[in-house]
């Protein structure tokens, strides 16, 4: 069993990564249904929370069926990070996570996310400020370093543990790599094998199949793994990995009916949480992922992404299901 503060996780847990414009409550709900052991909110700007920015506040929404769930914050100012951690605490998540890994330019330019990888002393001060300001467990998600010539994760891991971080997730790329090239988990393996490190170490990057999850589990010996992009439009990956790790056998891929049900649930929950109009529009980018590789789906997707009426949309789902009943996959 893996422990983070008072949170008990199963052996080798699978975590859903915090992804901007993806890891919202409707998507997290689907991933929980399909086997995710712990999840995180989209990352939230500490400055936005303090300014009472509507979008930032909305990201604080969590629901009991998601637990355990962490809220992730980012920023480059100690006072703002401490204050935002106190705000986060009021909605009673299971933990607070700090983002020191986001490589996006608009975040890095503010001296936040992966931008902090250039200044470990600042990273430690920011973390310490959050740890001191909350009674919740504090965890961190970060990267190997700024670029290939400045991989500093060994020092980062030890110093973050020393100031009270209770788990560390490492995306096995540098900021310079963004999401390209291969992730290198040998660096994370080295952290896990460091006798000074006592906290759980989770790996992130390129886990996109049950076979790869098994290979990485056996090869690197980490406490668990975090899955991000591979879950977009495919929440089944969590249970598929668990089943393969337990039995060595593959679960059958989701049927067309199951894909339609997941996408329809995602749409309905998005409309409930975001409002009808926003829920419909923001759901459009997900359909391609739910029906990736499905022969002849393009005309159906075009109907889904151009329709604004929720009742008509739900009817389209029924019509698609009926079509594929008479034209089975494969």
């Amino acid at each position: 069993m893996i422990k983070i503060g008072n949170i008990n996780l199963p052996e080798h847990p699978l975590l859903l990564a915090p992804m901007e414009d993806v890891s919202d409550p409707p998507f997290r709900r689907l991933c929980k249904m399909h086997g995710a052991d712990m999840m995180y909110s989209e990352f939230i700007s500490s400055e936005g929370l303090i300014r009472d920015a509507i979008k930032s506040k909305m990201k604080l929404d969590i629901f009991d069926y998601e637990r355990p769930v962490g809220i992730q914050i980012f920023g480059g100012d100690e006072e703002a990070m401490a204050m935002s951690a106190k705000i986060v605490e009021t909605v009673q998540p299971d933990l607070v996570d700090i983002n020191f890994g986001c490589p996006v330019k608009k975040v890095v330019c503010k001296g936040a996310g992966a931008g902090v990888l250039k200044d470990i002393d600042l990273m430690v001060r920011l973390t310490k400020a959050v740890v001191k300001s909350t009674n919740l467990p504090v965890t961190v998600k970060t990267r190997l370093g700024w670029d290939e010539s400045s991989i500093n994760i060994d020092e980062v891991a030890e110093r973050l543990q020393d100031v009270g971080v209770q788990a560390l997730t490492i995306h096995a790329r540098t900021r310079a790599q963004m999401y390209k090239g291969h992730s290198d988990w040998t660096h994370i393996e080295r952290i896990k094998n460091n006798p000074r490190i006592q906290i759980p170490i989770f790996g992130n990057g390129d886990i996109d199949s049950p076979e790869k999850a098994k290979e990485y589990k056996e090869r690197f010996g980490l406490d668990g793994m975090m899955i991000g992009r591979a879950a977009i439009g495919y929440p089944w990956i969590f249970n598929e990995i668990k089943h393969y790790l337990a039995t060595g056998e593959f679960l059958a891929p989701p049927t067309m009916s199951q894909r339609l049900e997941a996408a329809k649930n995602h749409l309905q929950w998005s409309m409930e949480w975001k409002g009808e109009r926003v829920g419909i529009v923001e759901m459009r980018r997900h359909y391609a992922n739910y029906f990736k590789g499905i022969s002849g789906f393009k005309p159906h997707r075009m109907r889904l992404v151009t329709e604004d009426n929720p009742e008509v949309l739900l009817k389209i789902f029924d019509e698609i299901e009926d079509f594929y009943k008479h034209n089975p996959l494969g």
Side-chain angles (χ1 to χ4, degrees), residues 11 45-46 67 95 98 103 164 183 193 204 238 245 253 308 313:
E11 183 185 355
S45 161
S46 55
R67 295 187 184 278
L95 60 82
I98 306 173
S183 59
N193 291 333
N204 175 225
F238 297 99
L245 291 179
D308 290 327
L313 269 169

Side-chain angles (χ1 to χ4, degrees), residues 205-247:
D206 295 342
I207 298 298
D208 57 8
S209 69
E211 306 98 302
K212 191 173 281 187
K214 186 174 191 290
E215 178 198 343
Y216 280 33
K217 176 181 185 285
E218 293 172 352
R219 185 172 161 198
F220 300 114
L222 306 182
D223 294 296
M225 52 186 64
M226 180 178 278
I227 296 167
R229 287 172 291 166
I232 300 174
Y234 203 85
W236 301 276
I237 192 166
F238 297 99
N239 276 336
E240 287 184 359
I241 289 172
K242 287 181 172 181
H243 186 77
Y244 189 71
L245 291 179
T247 68

